[in-house]
Amino acid sequence: MISCNRMTKRIAVTGGAGFVGSNLACMIARERPTCSVIALDNLKRRGSELSLGHLAAAGVEFVHGDVRMEGDVASLGAVDCLIECSAEPSVLAGQDGAPGYVLDTNLTGALNCLEHLRRQGGEMIFLSSSRVYSMPALTDLPLEVRGERFEITEGATGSGWSATGITESFSTAGPRSLYGATKLAAEQFIEEYRAAYGLRAVVYRCGVLTGPWQMGKVDQGVITLWLARHLFGGALSYIGHGGEGHQVRDLLHVADLYDLIAPRLDGIGTEDGQTYNVGGGAAVSVSLRELTRHCERLTGNTLAIGAIPKTRANDIGYYVTDNAKVETRTGWRPQRTLEETLEDVHRWLVDNRTLLEPILKDGET
């Protein structure tokens, strides 16, 4: 393995022109100017090409490649650490009867990254998803409406869940979506590579990540989408769960994720083999209806939000991260409040309106 000296590290970020990958790559390069940071991306998602200028300005080397292609991953060369951010991130992926891309990108891509590290050395930071958890178990959570949101029924608790949120021991049995299945399968292969080849890795099961440079769509990136439609115009609907907008998620600013990952860049150490739930937690959670109120306040605009009562496959009413394990073991906890996070995204939209409006106004969803 290459030396893990902070001044000489070589760090690769797959999915490096995507929202999470590009933000992490730029933050790493700016904080560690003597390190070599490489971003690999196939630029498939609309808007990812806009990241290229930011990567270059930060001193990140960009490689146009695809994690599905073993040779493209091999072109990264030897690295100290590979941050696996590449993914088809939509929970709806494959429901149109064409699962090939999500399976190849999320699972074959992860396997290609593991194989590269097995051959060349280096550690892995793997960004997984809260979507590895069981859909039946999530839909069975006892929920009640309080104000403008769903909450866990007062006093209720169960295996891997409570009013504090979902822990790592929550059920992964049963279906979860093709996207979630690929992420869970990749986690399992990481365990096999650790056992068989001594590969060192840590897994972060992320909830809803947000922040500047996220190209929001209906199926992924809802915070940006909601703010952009309020600012630029366009249609929005509360989909599922009666069409009332009570469904709740917690949000994690990508800069908070970086704060968690940054110490691991000097070596995973005792975090090897750990799996963590990572999110904003209950204090940084919001329902869609509450999000609408925040967007109205920030933009000064009001939209007539439609209602589609029928719940789609894999839509859940409530997911909030219980960060107790990662907080206890590492001392990390999110620093950005809900208001700060939303204001940061809004400021980015306003400052880059000319560039972003054609992409995020009532166009592709």
Side-chain angles (χ1 to χ4, degrees):
M1 184 184 298
I2 301 172
S3 167
C4 286
N5 184 286
R6 181 185 177 93
M7 304 302 290
T8 60
K9 286 181 68 68
R10 183 173 167 84
I11 301 165
V13 183
T14 53
F19 159 59
V20 175
S22 63
N23 272 284
L24 294 179
C26 288
M27 291 174 189
I28 294 167
R30 287 171 180 147
E31 185 175 275
R32 298 165 177 255
T34 61
C35 287
S36 177
V37 184
I38 310 101
L40 176 82
D41 201 288
N42 65 3
L43 301 179
K44 179 179 185 290
R45 188 179 177 100
R46 187 184 181 198
S48 60
E49 70 280 359
L50 301 180
S51 299
L52 299 184
H54 302 284
L55 293 169
V60 177
E61 177 189 349
F62 176 71
V63 175
H64 189 191
D66 196 316
V67 291
R68 296 176 297 171
M69 307 300 294
E70 186 177 348
D72 288 0
V73 177
S75 71
L76 293 170
V79 297
D80 294 291
C81 180
L82 188 150
I83 306 176
E84 226 293 60
C85 300
S86 65
E88 164 49 65
S90 172
V91 74
L92 303 179
Q95 290 185 10
D96 59 358
Y101 186 77
V102 64
L103 297 177
D104 287 344
T105 299
N106 296 5
L107 185 51
T108 303
L111 285 168
N112 284 338
C113 291
L114 287 167
E115 270 295 282
H116 182 64
L117 294 176
R118 180 182 70 81
R119 293 166 179 160
Q120 296 283 351
E123 299 179 335
M124 175 180 279
I125 295 172
F126 183 72
L127 297 192
S128 189
S129 170
S130 60
R131 286 292 187 163
V132 301
Y133 294 117
S134 163
M135 271 297 303
L138 287 170
T139 55
D140 282 347
L141 290 173
L143 302 177
E144 61 185 24
V145 177
R146 289 186 220 155
E148 294 190 313
R149 59 160 53 201
F150 286 134
E151 294 279 12
I152 297 286
T153 300
E154 190 170 355
T157 187
S159 178
W161 63 269
S162 69
T164 306
I166 307 298
T167 76
E168 294 82 359
S169 63
F170 194 82
S171 175
T172 57
R176 61 195 48 78
S177 77
L178 289 170
Y179 164 69
T182 59
K183 285 296 188 179
L184 185 59
E187 288 186 21
Q188 292 171 328
F189 274 108
I190 289 169
E191 280 301 301
E192 296 301 330
Y193 271 68
R194 288 185 62 252
Y197 308 117
L199 185 141
R200 296 173 61 78
V202 61
V203 173
Y204 298 116
R205 291 175 175 169
C206 300
V208 174
L209 293 165
T210 193
W213 297 105
Q214 185 175 38
M215 301 299 166
K217 300 168 66 176
V218 166
D219 56 350
Q220 197 271 333
V222 66
I223 303 304
T224 298
L225 176 73
W226 227 255
L227 274 164
R229 293 288 168 86
H230 276 82
L231 186 63
F232 304 147
L236 288 172
S237 294
Y238 300 131
I239 302 175
H241 304 279
E244 298 292 334
H246 292 142
Q247 51 266 60
V248 170
R249 300 292 188 279
D250 61 325
L251 313 181
L252 184 68
H253 195 296
V254 67
D256 277 317
L257 177 64
Y258 172 76
D259 290 343
L260 173 62
I261 285 174
R264 305 286 78 78
L265 299 175
D266 293 313
I268 288 175
T270 58
E271 297 304 285
D272 177 41
Q274 294 297 321
T275 296
Y276 294 113
N277 282 0
V278 176
V284 195
S285 66
V286 68
S287 73
L288 282 179
R289 188 169 287 273
E290 291 167 344
L291 179 60
T292 296
R293 306 291 175 246
H294 284 288
C295 291
E296 291 171 347
R297 172 180 58 83
L298 287 166
T299 67
N301 298 327
T302 301
L303 293 181
I305 311 294
I308 302 174
K310 184 178 180 181
T311 303
R312 300 173 299 184
N314 302 317
D315 275 353
I316 54 176
Y318 180 92
Y319 187 93
V320 169
T321 307
D322 186 333
N323 285 319
K325 179 181 176 182
V326 70
E327 289 181 4
T328 299
R329 282 189 57 92
T330 71
W332 170 90
R333 63 181 55 198
Q335 298 300 307
R336 282 83 180 170
T337 66
L338 174 65
E339 290 75 15
E340 289 169 337
T341 298
L342 296 177
E343 287 168 4
D344 199 18
V345 177
H346 176 252
R347 188 181 309 113
W348 164 69
L349 290 168
V350 171
D351 290 348
N352 296 277
R353 180 166 191 153
T354 301
L355 187 66
L356 297 172
E357 186 169 1
I359 298 174
L360 295 174
K361 196 177 176 178
D362 198 12
E364 181 187 2
T365 59

